[in-house]
Amino acid sequence: MNKPELIIFDLGRVLVDFDFRLVIKRLKRYTVYSEKDIRRYFLQTPLWGAFERGEVEPKDFFLRMSKELKLKNLTFKDFTPLWNSIFTEKHDTVSILARLRGRYRIALLSNVNILHWEHINETHDFIQWFDHPVASFEVGMRKPDPDIYRTTLHIAGVCPSERQNFRVSSWTTCRCNSRRLMREPI
């Protein structure tokens, strides 16, 4: 078996776990809406995707979300730690990453907003191990858009061959060819 040119990791649920229910519970203290309503809001609002594509600045995201959820007495300064303190490092996969580091070129591809990205960069040293970190808010695209995978390969300097397999996310294989990129389960 040939050595892969690049190994791509995802961040959420692979290297860090997160509990977004904590955000919902914390926001409930500042609104008349129920936790169920807040959860539905985040599942349905286009603001979330725009924030992860970098189309909305953090303070604008906070102001629009505050207006739409009718949040009272919550400042941006107090919102930021409420929003960010949801992550737990997954030591098992971080140890795999540690073993691969230096032996293989590794990339990170993540749907992530700038607030979470900055927080994870400040609190998790393993982020510095990546040769090619790619955050959705920086490239203006989110998975599963095929262009974000192509962009990641381009940033890493990997030319997609006619039939090149590579690993992404939580043990998913992507097959890339010159016309399209598709996700396939292993």
Side-chain angles (χ1 to χ4, degrees):
M1 178 182 243
N2 294 340
K3 180 177 177 179
E5 282 186 71
L6 182 69
I7 299 173
I8 304 173
F9 280 81
D10 197 349
L11 183 59
R13 305 272 191 237
V14 176
L15 296 167
V16 294
D17 214 343
F18 59 90
D19 188 351
F20 199 75
R21 293 173 303 176
L22 295 173
V23 170
I24 293 168
K25 286 180 186 216
R26 293 169 187 156
L27 288 177
K28 171 62 184 111
R29 291 182 252 161
Y30 300 95
T31 183
V32 297
Y33 289 115
S34 69
E35 288 180 19
K36 184 177 179 182
D37 291 333
I38 297 168
R39 182 178 185 279
R40 186 178 312 115
Y41 168 79
F42 281 111
L43 290 173
Q44 296 175 350
T45 182
L47 182 61
W48 179 262
F51 192 35
E52 285 196 339
R53 285 188 303 275
E55 298 167 359
V56 179
E57 293 296 319
K59 285 187 180 174
D60 293 331
F61 172 78
F62 169 72
L63 291 172
R64 283 181 54 191
M65 181 194 62
S66 293
K67 182 179 178 183
E68 292 168 3
L69 287 175
K70 299 182 173 131
L71 300 176
K72 302 288 184 207
N73 303 317
L74 180 63
T75 65
F76 181 71
K77 181 180 176 185
D78 293 333
F79 166 73
T80 302
L82 173 156
W83 180 253
N84 287 336
S85 57
I86 62 171
F87 297 99
T88 310
E89 191 167 304
K90 294 189 69 153
H91 300 288
D92 55 344
T93 48
V94 170
S95 69
I96 293 169
L97 174 63
R99 289 193 309 266
L100 295 173
R101 162 185 173 204
R103 295 175 42 214
Y104 297 92
R105 291 180 47 222
I106 52 176
L108 175 71
L109 173 57
S110 182
N111 287 345
V112 64
N113 63 73
I114 190 169
L115 291 177
H116 285 162
W117 182 254
E118 289 175 348
H119 173 75
I120 289 171
N121 268 276
E122 292 169 6
T123 56
H124 297 279
D125 293 335
F126 67 78
I127 290 294
Q128 308 311 314
W129 300 349
F130 287 96
D131 302 303
H132 310 284
V134 178
S136 62
F137 77 91
E138 290 180 327
V139 296
M141 296 172 268
R142 293 173 68 210
K143 297 177 286 176
D145 182 340
D147 285 337
I148 197 168
Y149 298 100
R150 289 185 194 101
T151 298
T152 301
L153 291 176
H154 176 74
I155 288 169
V158 174
C159 181
S161 63
E162 187 59 31
R163 294 185 58 81
Q164 178 178 22
N165 291 329
F166 60 100
R167 305 250 182 224
V168 300
S169 264
S170 51
W171 320 122
T172 301
T173 297
C174 287
R175 177 166 288 132
C176 181
N177 67 38
S178 58
R179 282 177 253 123
R180 62 186 173 150
L181 181 70
M182 51 195 174
R183 296 179 68 130
E184 300 176 342
I186 292 179

